[in-house]
Amino acid sequence: MEKIEPLPLAPGAVLRLFKASDAGELTETIAANREHLARWLPFAESHGFEDSVAYLERKRAQIEANDGFEGAIVLDGQIVGAAGFHAVDWLNRSSSIGYWLAADVVGRGLMSGAVRGLLDHAFGAWELNRVIIEVVVDNARSRAIPARLGFREEALLREAKLIRGSYEDAVLYAMLASDWPPPSPREATGSA
Ligand SMILES: CC(C)(COP(=O)(O)OP(=O)(O)OC[C@H]1O[C@@H](n2cnc3c(N)ncnc32)[C@H](O)[C@@H]1OP(=O)(O)O)[C@@H](O)C(=O)NCCC(=O)NCCS
């Protein structure tokens, strides 16, 4: 099985694979951020300990099946979020990314760094060709992540997400291997 090393994100912060023993802490972090998360991620509405156990088992099986991975974002030893691949479409060499952070750690660049690392892995080790992120139109903080990393906004997905009983439109962002990594800001502006 492929060895996936923890990805350093900032001093004291890493993205690492989940462990079965994370179930209690994961449940607590989601419960403490229920309102913040459930506005955009319906799973968080009623997520409890048994859901964490089932999720972590699915994530273990995902890695075993060579179908991608999701990991915990850990800051100073505490789980403060998650990020990873929902699945890998090996026939088309494409995947999609999802993520969330606890409300008290937003605004530090942790998730942009995590997604950057996920793209390096997808286009590097796995030699994928395309990675997408789907974000509800009104989710400005989340849309800023693919925008910041140079994803292209490809489409409006009408009523793609069912959130608290209403269908909300989403934006499809995509990054291709041929566009990754984007030129650094210095190269892009052509200045020395
Ligand atoms: C979506 C979500 C993960 C975004 O979190 P975030 O903290 O804004 O994203 P990042 O960790 O990349 O941080 C970016 C912020 O840090 C700042 N920042 C600081 N250092 C940075 C660095 N080195 N690199 C990038 N950004 C940096 C950016 O300026 C930005 O701040 P701003 O929004 O005030 O301009 C978070 O809001 C969340 O979990 N929301 C609820 C769940 C959700 O919506 N999930 C996504 C569903 S599609």
Side-chain angles (χ1 to χ4, degrees), residues 36-37 40-41 99-102 105-113 116 133-136 139 141-142 145 148:
H36 161 71
L37 297 176
W40 307 113
L41 298 171
Y99 46 71
W100 59 267
L101 277 178
V105 301
V106 301
R108 308 174 186 209
L110 291 177
M111 196 53 80
S112 295
R116 189 179 293 114
I133 300 177
E134 294 179 5
V135 187
V136 169
N139 192 349
R141 286 203 85 95
S142 182
I145 292 173
R148 192 176 287 122

mmCIF file of all heavy atoms in Angstrom, residues 36-37 40-41 99-102 105-113 116 133-136 139 141-142 145 148, ligand 1:
data_model
loop_
_atom_site.group_PDB
_atom_site.id
_atom_site.type_symbol
_atom_site.label_atom_id
_atom_site.label_comp_id
_atom_site.label_asym_id
_atom_site.label_seq_id
_atom_site.Cartn_x
_atom_site.Cartn_y
_atom_site.Cartn_z
ATOM 1 N N HIS A 36 -21.264 26.379 12.213
ATOM 2 C CA HIS A 36 -20.275 26.845 11.227
ATOM 3 C C HIS A 36 -20.172 25.875 10.046
ATOM 4 O O HIS A 36 -20.106 26.299 8.881
ATOM 5 C CB HIS A 36 -18.929 26.991 11.959
ATOM 6 C CG HIS A 36 -17.715 27.033 11.113
ATOM 7 N ND1 HIS A 36 -17.404 28.112 10.316
ATOM 8 C CD2 HIS A 36 -16.694 26.139 10.951
ATOM 9 C CE1 HIS A 36 -16.250 27.876 9.701
ATOM 10 N NE2 HIS A 36 -15.805 26.702 10.061
ATOM 11 N N LEU A 37 -20.188 24.576 10.324
ATOM 12 C CA LEU A 37 -20.002 23.585 9.258
ATOM 13 C C LEU A 37 -21.303 23.253 8.537
ATOM 14 O O LEU A 37 -21.327 23.147 7.299
ATOM 15 C CB LEU A 37 -19.407 22.295 9.834
ATOM 16 C CG LEU A 37 -18.016 22.418 10.456
ATOM 17 C CD1 LEU A 37 -17.590 21.090 11.084
ATOM 18 C CD2 LEU A 37 -16.986 22.843 9.390
ATOM 19 N N TRP A 40 -22.801 24.722 5.297
ATOM 20 C CA TRP A 40 -22.280 24.365 3.967
ATOM 21 C C TRP A 40 -22.148 22.852 3.777
ATOM 22 O O TRP A 40 -22.119 22.386 2.638
ATOM 23 C CB TRP A 40 -20.906 25.014 3.749
ATOM 24 C CG TRP A 40 -20.917 26.481 4.002
ATOM 25 C CD1 TRP A 40 -20.288 27.157 5.010
ATOM 26 C CD2 TRP A 40 -21.606 27.488 3.238
ATOM 27 N NE1 TRP A 40 -20.545 28.505 4.925
ATOM 28 C CE2 TRP A 40 -21.341 28.740 3.843
ATOM 29 C CE3 TRP A 40 -22.418 27.450 2.104
ATOM 30 C CZ2 TRP A 40 -21.861 29.942 3.353
ATOM 31 C CZ3 TRP A 40 -22.938 28.639 1.618
ATOM 32 C CH2 TRP A 40 -22.662 29.869 2.236
ATOM 33 N N LEU A 41 -21.999 22.126 4.876
ATOM 34 C CA LEU A 41 -21.770 20.676 4.800
ATOM 35 C C LEU A 41 -22.841 19.952 5.616
ATOM 36 O O LEU A 41 -22.717 19.804 6.839
ATOM 37 C CB LEU A 41 -20.368 20.335 5.336
ATOM 38 C CG LEU A 41 -19.203 20.946 4.552
ATOM 39 C CD1 LEU A 41 -17.883 20.725 5.300
ATOM 40 C CD2 LEU A 41 -19.114 20.347 3.152
ATOM 41 N N TYR A 99 -13.134 19.716 1.954
ATOM 42 C CA TYR A 99 -12.391 20.181 3.137
ATOM 43 C C TYR A 99 -13.275 20.954 4.103
ATOM 44 O O TYR A 99 -14.330 21.459 3.733
ATOM 45 C CB TYR A 99 -11.214 21.085 2.715
ATOM 46 C CG TYR A 99 -11.555 22.128 1.677
ATOM 47 C CD1 TYR A 99 -12.350 23.231 1.983
ATOM 48 C CD2 TYR A 99 -11.103 22.009 0.362
ATOM 49 C CE1 TYR A 99 -12.662 24.182 1.032
ATOM 50 C CE2 TYR A 99 -11.417 22.952 -0.605
ATOM 51 C CZ TYR A 99 -12.194 24.039 -0.256
ATOM 52 O OH TYR A 99 -12.520 24.984 -1.205
ATOM 53 N N TRP A 100 -12.835 21.028 5.353
ATOM 54 C CA TRP A 100 -13.448 21.917 6.352
ATOM 55 C C TRP A 100 -12.437 22.214 7.450
ATOM 56 O O TRP A 100 -11.502 21.449 7.682
ATOM 57 C CB TRP A 100 -14.724 21.317 6.950
ATOM 58 C CG TRP A 100 -14.556 19.986 7.641
ATOM 59 C CD1 TRP A 100 -14.729 18.745 7.080
ATOM 60 C CD2 TRP A 100 -14.181 19.752 9.020
ATOM 61 N NE1 TRP A 100 -14.491 17.761 8.017
ATOM 62 C CE2 TRP A 100 -14.149 18.353 9.218
ATOM 63 C CE3 TRP A 100 -13.880 20.581 10.093
ATOM 64 C CZ2 TRP A 100 -13.831 17.768 10.445
ATOM 65 C CZ3 TRP A 100 -13.558 19.998 11.329
ATOM 66 C CH2 TRP A 100 -13.536 18.607 11.487
ATOM 67 N N LEU A 101 -12.661 23.343 8.123
ATOM 68 C CA LEU A 101 -11.815 23.773 9.244
ATOM 69 C C LEU A 101 -12.691 24.225 10.406
ATOM 70 O O LEU A 101 -13.779 24.778 10.175
ATOM 71 C CB LEU A 101 -10.969 24.986 8.853
ATOM 72 C CG LEU A 101 -9.666 24.802 8.101
ATOM 73 C CD1 LEU A 101 -9.070 26.182 7.815
ATOM 74 C CD2 LEU A 101 -8.666 23.945 8.869
ATOM 75 N N ALA A 102 -12.217 24.057 11.613
ATOM 76 C CA ALA A 102 -12.884 24.632 12.781
ATOM 77 C C ALA A 102 -12.894 26.154 12.644
ATOM 78 O O ALA A 102 -11.954 26.749 12.094
ATOM 79 C CB ALA A 102 -12.143 24.224 14.056
ATOM 80 N N VAL A 105 -9.841 28.490 13.615
ATOM 81 C CA VAL A 105 -8.525 28.429 12.951
ATOM 82 C C VAL A 105 -8.587 28.897 11.498
ATOM 83 O O VAL A 105 -7.620 28.735 10.747
ATOM 84 C CB VAL A 105 -7.873 27.029 13.048
ATOM 85 C CG1 VAL A 105 -7.689 26.627 14.500
ATOM 86 C CG2 VAL A 105 -8.663 25.982 12.268
ATOM 87 N N VAL A 106 -9.718 29.477 11.086
ATOM 88 C CA VAL A 106 -9.760 30.016 9.727
ATOM 89 C C VAL A 106 -8.921 31.296 9.676
ATOM 90 O O VAL A 106 -8.619 31.904 10.701
ATOM 91 C CB VAL A 106 -11.199 30.309 9.220
ATOM 92 C CG1 VAL A 106 -12.049 29.049 9.224
ATOM 93 C CG2 VAL A 106 -11.843 31.423 10.001
ATOM 94 N N GLY A 107 -8.525 31.651 8.458
ATOM 95 C CA GLY A 107 -7.815 32.920 8.274
ATOM 96 C C GLY A 107 -6.305 32.835 8.403
ATOM 97 O O GLY A 107 -5.622 33.851 8.420
ATOM 98 N N ARG A 108 -5.765 31.593 8.477
ATOM 99 C CA ARG A 108 -4.304 31.438 8.604
ATOM 100 C C ARG A 108 -3.670 30.779 7.389
ATOM 101 O O ARG A 108 -2.468 30.473 7.408
ATOM 102 C CB ARG A 108 -3.979 30.541 9.794
ATOM 103 C CG ARG A 108 -4.612 30.931 11.092
ATOM 104 C CD ARG A 108 -4.291 29.835 12.101
ATOM 105 N NE ARG A 108 -4.992 30.077 13.351
ATOM 106 C CZ ARG A 108 -4.539 29.677 14.531
ATOM 107 N NH1 ARG A 108 -3.399 29.017 14.614
ATOM 108 N NH2 ARG A 108 -5.218 29.918 15.619
ATOM 109 N N GLY A 109 -4.449 30.452 6.395
ATOM 110 C CA GLY A 109 -3.886 29.808 5.216
ATOM 111 C C GLY A 109 -3.708 28.310 5.342
ATOM 112 O O GLY A 109 -3.134 27.678 4.448
ATOM 113 N N LEU A 110 -4.230 27.704 6.434
ATOM 114 C CA LEU A 110 -4.032 26.253 6.608
ATOM 115 C C LEU A 110 -4.646 25.468 5.456
ATOM 116 O O LEU A 110 -4.036 24.527 4.928
ATOM 117 C CB LEU A 110 -4.662 25.774 7.929
ATOM 118 C CG LEU A 110 -3.992 26.229 9.220
ATOM 119 C CD1 LEU A 110 -4.789 25.735 10.420
ATOM 120 C CD2 LEU A 110 -2.555 25.708 9.279
ATOM 121 N N MET A 111 -5.881 25.841 5.044
ATOM 122 C CA MET A 111 -6.540 25.031 4.029
ATOM 123 C C MET A 111 -5.953 25.267 2.640
ATOM 124 O O MET A 111 -5.815 24.316 1.868
ATOM 125 C CB MET A 111 -8.051 25.285 4.027
ATOM 126 C CG MET A 111 -8.811 24.217 3.290
ATOM 127 S SD MET A 111 -8.420 22.548 3.890
ATOM 128 C CE MET A 111 -9.419 22.456 5.357
ATOM 129 N N SER A 112 -5.583 26.488 2.339
ATOM 130 C CA SER A 112 -4.945 26.707 1.028
ATOM 131 C C SER A 112 -3.669 25.880 0.944
ATOM 132 O O SER A 112 -3.376 25.281 -0.100
ATOM 133 C CB SER A 112 -4.638 28.191 0.842
ATOM 134 O OG SER A 112 -5.847 28.912 0.794
ATOM 135 N N GLY A 113 -2.915 25.805 2.045
ATOM 136 C CA GLY A 113 -1.693 24.994 2.067
ATOM 137 C C GLY A 113 -1.995 23.520 1.925
ATOM 138 O O GLY A 113 -1.294 22.789 1.218
ATOM 139 N N ARG A 116 -2.996 22.805 -1.648
ATOM 140 C CA ARG A 116 -1.785 22.852 -2.483
ATOM 141 C C ARG A 116 -1.036 21.515 -2.385
ATOM 142 O O ARG A 116 -0.624 20.933 -3.389
ATOM 143 C CB ARG A 116 -0.891 24.011 -2.043
ATOM 144 C CG ARG A 116 0.267 24.280 -2.979
ATOM 145 C CD ARG A 116 1.133 25.460 -2.529
ATOM 146 N NE ARG A 116 0.437 26.737 -2.606
ATOM 147 C CZ ARG A 116 0.102 27.504 -1.567
ATOM 148 N NH1 ARG A 116 0.410 27.145 -0.333
ATOM 149 N NH2 ARG A 116 -0.531 28.635 -1.748
ATOM 150 N N ILE A 133 -13.063 20.992 -7.527
ATOM 151 C CA ILE A 133 -13.674 21.355 -6.242
ATOM 152 C C ILE A 133 -15.033 21.969 -6.564
ATOM 153 O O ILE A 133 -15.125 22.838 -7.438
ATOM 154 C CB ILE A 133 -12.811 22.385 -5.471
ATOM 155 C CG1 ILE A 133 -11.414 21.812 -5.185
ATOM 156 C CG2 ILE A 133 -13.498 22.804 -4.167
ATOM 157 C CD1 ILE A 133 -10.464 22.791 -4.482
ATOM 158 N N GLU A 134 -16.077 21.500 -5.904
ATOM 159 C CA GLU A 134 -17.417 22.068 -6.082
ATOM 160 C C GLU A 134 -17.783 22.856 -4.835
ATOM 161 O O GLU A 134 -17.706 22.323 -3.727
ATOM 162 C CB GLU A 134 -18.452 20.955 -6.292
ATOM 163 C CG GLU A 134 -18.259 20.189 -7.584
ATOM 164 C CD GLU A 134 -19.276 19.070 -7.766
ATOM 165 O OE1 GLU A 134 -20.211 18.946 -6.924
ATOM 166 O OE2 GLU A 134 -19.142 18.311 -8.729
ATOM 167 N N VAL A 135 -18.199 24.103 -5.012
ATOM 168 C CA VAL A 135 -18.475 24.979 -3.862
ATOM 169 C C VAL A 135 -19.812 25.694 -4.070
ATOM 170 O O VAL A 135 -20.059 26.261 -5.146
ATOM 171 C CB VAL A 135 -17.373 26.059 -3.714
ATOM 172 C CG1 VAL A 135 -17.589 26.835 -2.418
ATOM 173 C CG2 VAL A 135 -15.975 25.455 -3.747
ATOM 174 N N VAL A 136 -20.642 25.712 -3.040
ATOM 175 C CA VAL A 136 -21.902 26.459 -3.098
ATOM 176 C C VAL A 136 -21.591 27.930 -3.419
ATOM 177 O O VAL A 136 -20.647 28.511 -2.879
ATOM 178 C CB VAL A 136 -22.658 26.328 -1.760
ATOM 179 C CG1 VAL A 136 -23.833 27.299 -1.683
ATOM 180 C CG2 VAL A 136 -23.138 24.894 -1.579
ATOM 181 N N ASN A 139 -20.692 30.475 -0.750
ATOM 182 C CA ASN A 139 -19.641 30.120 0.210
ATOM 183 C C ASN A 139 -18.331 30.829 -0.178
ATOM 184 O O ASN A 139 -17.392 30.233 -0.719
ATOM 185 C CB ASN A 139 -19.461 28.604 0.263
ATOM 186 C CG ASN A 139 -18.603 28.161 1.449
ATOM 187 O OD1 ASN A 139 -17.976 28.991 2.117
ATOM 188 N ND2 ASN A 139 -18.575 26.865 1.703
ATOM 189 N N ARG A 141 -15.731 32.112 1.453
ATOM 190 C CA ARG A 141 -14.435 31.682 2.016
ATOM 191 C C ARG A 141 -13.920 30.446 1.299
ATOM 192 O O ARG A 141 -12.726 30.305 1.048
ATOM 193 C CB ARG A 141 -14.557 31.388 3.511
ATOM 194 C CG ARG A 141 -14.678 32.585 4.398
ATOM 195 C CD ARG A 141 -14.218 32.239 5.815
ATOM 196 N NE ARG A 141 -12.789 32.378 5.952
ATOM 197 C CZ ARG A 141 -12.175 33.466 6.409
ATOM 198 N NH1 ARG A 141 -12.874 34.506 6.783
ATOM 199 N NH2 ARG A 141 -10.862 33.507 6.485
ATOM 200 N N SER A 142 -14.840 29.525 0.989
ATOM 201 C CA SER A 142 -14.410 28.295 0.316
ATOM 202 C C SER A 142 -14.045 28.572 -1.146
ATOM 203 O O SER A 142 -13.058 28.031 -1.657
ATOM 204 C CB SER A 142 -15.511 27.240 0.395
ATOM 205 O OG SER A 142 -15.062 26.057 -0.210
ATOM 206 N N ILE A 145 -10.462 29.614 -1.935
ATOM 207 C CA ILE A 145 -9.343 28.652 -1.923
ATOM 208 C C ILE A 145 -8.956 28.240 -3.350
ATOM 209 O O ILE A 145 -7.821 28.465 -3.767
ATOM 210 C CB ILE A 145 -9.654 27.459 -1.005
ATOM 211 C CG1 ILE A 145 -9.675 27.968 0.454
ATOM 212 C CG2 ILE A 145 -8.642 26.337 -1.182
ATOM 213 C CD1 ILE A 145 -10.128 26.957 1.462
ATOM 214 N N ARG A 148 -7.595 31.259 -5.184
ATOM 215 C CA ARG A 148 -6.232 31.621 -4.758
ATOM 216 C C ARG A 148 -5.186 30.703 -5.394
ATOM 217 O O ARG A 148 -4.080 31.126 -5.711
ATOM 218 C CB ARG A 148 -6.177 31.486 -3.232
ATOM 219 C CG ARG A 148 -4.971 32.067 -2.553
ATOM 220 C CD ARG A 148 -5.102 31.932 -1.031
ATOM 221 N NE ARG A 148 -6.069 32.830 -0.444
ATOM 222 C CZ ARG A 148 -7.139 32.448 0.278
ATOM 223 N NH1 ARG A 148 -7.377 31.178 0.539
ATOM 224 N NH2 ARG A 148 -7.969 33.336 0.757
HETATM 225 C C1 LIG B 1 -13.802 26.789 3.622
HETATM 226 C C2 LIG B 1 -12.811 27.000 4.760
HETATM 227 C C3 LIG B 1 -11.966 25.747 4.947
HETATM 228 C C4 LIG B 1 -11.909 28.195 4.419
HETATM 229 O O1 LIG B 1 -11.065 28.463 5.491
HETATM 230 P P1 LIG B 1 -9.986 29.657 5.404
HETATM 231 O O2 LIG B 1 -9.300 29.715 6.711
HETATM 232 O O3 LIG B 1 -10.644 30.879 4.866
HETATM 233 O O4 LIG B 1 -8.966 29.146 4.292
HETATM 234 P P2 LIG B 1 -7.379 29.115 4.467
HETATM 235 O O5 LIG B 1 -7.036 28.249 5.636
HETATM 236 O O6 LIG B 1 -6.824 28.799 3.174
HETATM 237 O O7 LIG B 1 -7.038 30.607 4.893
HETATM 238 C C5 LIG B 1 -7.181 31.682 3.990
HETATM 239 C C6 LIG B 1 -7.148 32.930 4.809
HETATM 240 O O8 LIG B 1 -5.896 32.991 5.503
HETATM 241 C C7 LIG B 1 -5.131 34.104 5.020
HETATM 242 N N1 LIG B 1 -3.751 33.621 4.934
HETATM 243 C C8 LIG B 1 -2.802 33.863 5.862
HETATM 244 N N2 LIG B 1 -1.672 33.250 5.518
HETATM 245 C C9 LIG B 1 -1.897 32.611 4.337
HETATM 246 C C10 LIG B 1 -1.099 31.825 3.488
HETATM 247 N N3 LIG B 1 0.170 31.543 3.769
HETATM 248 N N4 LIG B 1 -1.656 31.304 2.373
HETATM 249 C C11 LIG B 1 -2.938 31.568 2.071
HETATM 250 N N5 LIG B 1 -3.743 32.322 2.842
HETATM 251 C C12 LIG B 1 -3.224 32.850 3.975
HETATM 252 C C13 LIG B 1 -5.765 34.494 3.701
HETATM 253 O O9 LIG B 1 -5.562 35.841 3.409
HETATM 254 C C14 LIG B 1 -7.212 34.199 4.000
HETATM 255 O O10 LIG B 1 -7.729 35.168 4.871
HETATM 256 P P3 LIG B 1 -9.006 36.076 4.502
HETATM 257 O O11 LIG B 1 -10.106 35.128 4.127
HETATM 258 O O12 LIG B 1 -9.265 36.807 5.744
HETATM 259 O O13 LIG B 1 -8.576 36.871 3.333
HETATM 260 C C15 LIG B 1 -13.564 27.311 6.088
HETATM 261 O O14 LIG B 1 -14.191 28.571 5.972
HETATM 262 C C16 LIG B 1 -14.585 26.270 6.446
HETATM 263 O O15 LIG B 1 -14.248 25.191 6.917
HETATM 264 N N6 LIG B 1 -15.887 26.562 6.224
HETATM 265 C C17 LIG B 1 -16.969 25.683 6.605
HETATM 266 C C18 LIG B 1 -16.958 24.367 5.835
HETATM 267 C C19 LIG B 1 -16.910 24.572 4.338
HETATM 268 O O16 LIG B 1 -17.470 25.506 3.819
HETATM 269 N N7 LIG B 1 -16.211 23.647 3.651
HETATM 270 C C20 LIG B 1 -16.066 23.733 2.205
HETATM 271 C C21 LIG B 1 -17.232 23.211 1.481
HETATM 272 S S1 LIG B 1 -17.005 23.343 -0.290
#
